[in-house]
Amino acid sequence: MAHKFIDIEYLLQGNPKQKMAYDVIKKLKVMEILKKHGPILAGTIPIDIDIDSSDLDIICEVHHPEEFIHRLNSEFGDLLNFSLETLWIDGKITVLCSFVADGLTLEIFGQPTKSMDQNAYRHMVVENRILEILGNTAKEEIRGLKREGYKTEPAFGVYLNIVENPYEFLLSMYDWDYNQFLEYLKDRRVSI
């Protein structure tokens, strides 16, 4: 189930913003350009809980930041609002690149961790599992919390009454099976 997010073709079956995201990514050849880095579209757009300000988050496995930075500069450096920075996140050197194309902001995130093992991917998979169980009402309420200013994981934390750190707690759910999700969610805010 988690592997459905590896190839962006699923976006073609989605809502208008997902189809627009697909078109922008294809037009810019982002996945082809970054192929050796295992790019995955993560975040709220793939799981249909985006709001107007949501961007396209593309996560990548990067072990040679200088080479990655050079590629990003040469391929996307001329695009609107291009920015690039290197920082440390969770003790890992991280490259963050941002630019705008066809009205959508794209953020490319590179860390020396397999894309499927990065927190952004794991959060998205867990959030998708939750939404598949709880349905459209949950999606609308999560979107509402995001419109109020909550980031995605804290919005899930509020919606599900998670008292722990929502970032860490959602990550801890990654290896749960379907029955564990059902058991946990039956005592949460929404009846299933």
Side-chain angles (χ1 to χ4, degrees), residues 34 78 83 86-87 93 104 116 128-129 139-140 179:
L34 302 176
D78 293 335
S83 69
T86 304
L87 55 157
I93 186 114
L104 285 175
M116 289 179 69
N128 186 63
R129 288 176 183 159
K139 283 184 179 183
E140 283 307 315
N179 289 331

Coordinates of all heavy atoms in Angstrom, one line a residue, residues 34 78 83 86-87 93 104 116 128-129 139-140 179:
L34 N 15.9 13.9 -11.1 CA 16.3 13.5 -9.7 C 16.3 12.0 -9.6 O 16.5 11.5 -8.4 CB 15.5 14.2 -8.7 CG 15.4 15.7 -8.7 CD1 14.5 16.3 -7.7 CD2 16.8 16.3 -8.5
D78 N 16.8 28.9 -12.7 CA 16.1 30.1 -13.4 C 14.7 30.2 -13.1 O 14.0 31.1 -13.6 CB 16.3 29.9 -14.9 CG 17.8 30.0 -15.3 OD1 18.6 30.7 -14.6 OD2 18.1 29.5 -16.4
S83 N 15.3 29.2 -4.4 CA 16.1 29.4 -3.2 C 16.7 28.0 -2.9 O 16.1 27.0 -3.2 CB 15.4 30.0 -2.0 OG 14.5 29.0 -1.5
T86 N 21.5 24.8 2.7 CA 21.9 23.6 3.4 C 21.8 23.8 4.9 O 22.2 24.9 5.4 CB 23.4 23.4 3.0 OG1 23.5 23.3 1.6 CG2 23.9 22.0 3.6
L87 N 21.2 22.9 5.6 CA 21.1 23.0 7.0 C 21.2 21.6 7.6 O 21.2 20.6 7.0 CB 19.8 23.7 7.4 CG 18.5 23.1 6.8 CD1 17.3 23.5 7.7 CD2 18.2 23.6 5.4
I93 N 23.0 16.4 7.4 CA 23.1 17.5 6.4 C 21.9 17.4 5.5 O 21.6 16.3 5.0 CB 24.4 17.5 5.7 CG1 24.5 18.7 4.8 CG2 24.6 16.3 4.8 CD1 25.6 19.6 5.3
L104 N 2.5 26.7 -8.6 CA 2.7 25.8 -7.5 C 4.1 26.0 -7.0 O 5.1 26.1 -7.7 CB 2.5 24.4 -7.9 CG 1.1 23.9 -8.1 CD1 1.1 22.5 -8.7 CD2 0.3 23.9 -6.8
M116 N 12.2 6.4 1.2 CA 11.1 5.7 1.9 C 11.3 5.6 3.4 O 10.4 5.3 4.2 CB 10.9 4.3 1.3 CG 10.3 4.4 -0.1 SD 10.0 2.7 -0.8 CE 8.7 2.1 0.3
N128 N -2.2 8.7 5.5 CA -3.1 8.1 4.5 C -3.9 6.9 5.1 O -5.1 6.7 4.8 CB -2.2 7.7 3.3 CG -3.1 7.2 2.2 OD1 -3.9 7.9 1.6 ND2 -3.0 5.9 1.8
R129 N -3.2 6.0 5.8 CA -3.9 4.9 6.4 C -5.0 5.4 7.3 O -6.1 4.8 7.3 CB -2.9 4.0 7.3 CG -2.0 3.3 6.4 CD -0.9 2.5 7.3 NE 0.0 1.8 6.4 CZ 1.2 1.5 6.8 NH1 1.6 1.7 8.1 NH2 2.0 0.8 6.0
K139 N -10.9 14.0 6.5 CA -10.1 14.9 5.6 C -10.6 16.4 5.7 O -9.7 17.3 5.8 CB -10.3 14.4 4.1 CG -9.5 13.2 3.7 CD -9.7 12.9 2.2 CE -9.0 11.7 1.8 NZ -9.1 11.4 0.4
E140 N -11.9 16.6 5.7 CA -12.4 18.0 5.8 C -12.0 18.6 7.1 O -11.6 19.8 7.2 CB -13.9 18.0 5.6 CG -14.3 17.8 4.2 CD -13.6 18.9 3.2 OE1 -13.5 20.0 3.6 OE2 -13.1 18.4 2.2
N179 N -5.4 -3.8 11.9 CA -6.2 -4.0 13.1 C -5.7 -3.1 14.2 O -6.5 -2.6 15.0 CB -6.1 -5.5 13.6 CG -7.0 -6.4 12.6 OD1 -8.0 -5.9 12.1 ND2 -6.6 -7.6 12.5

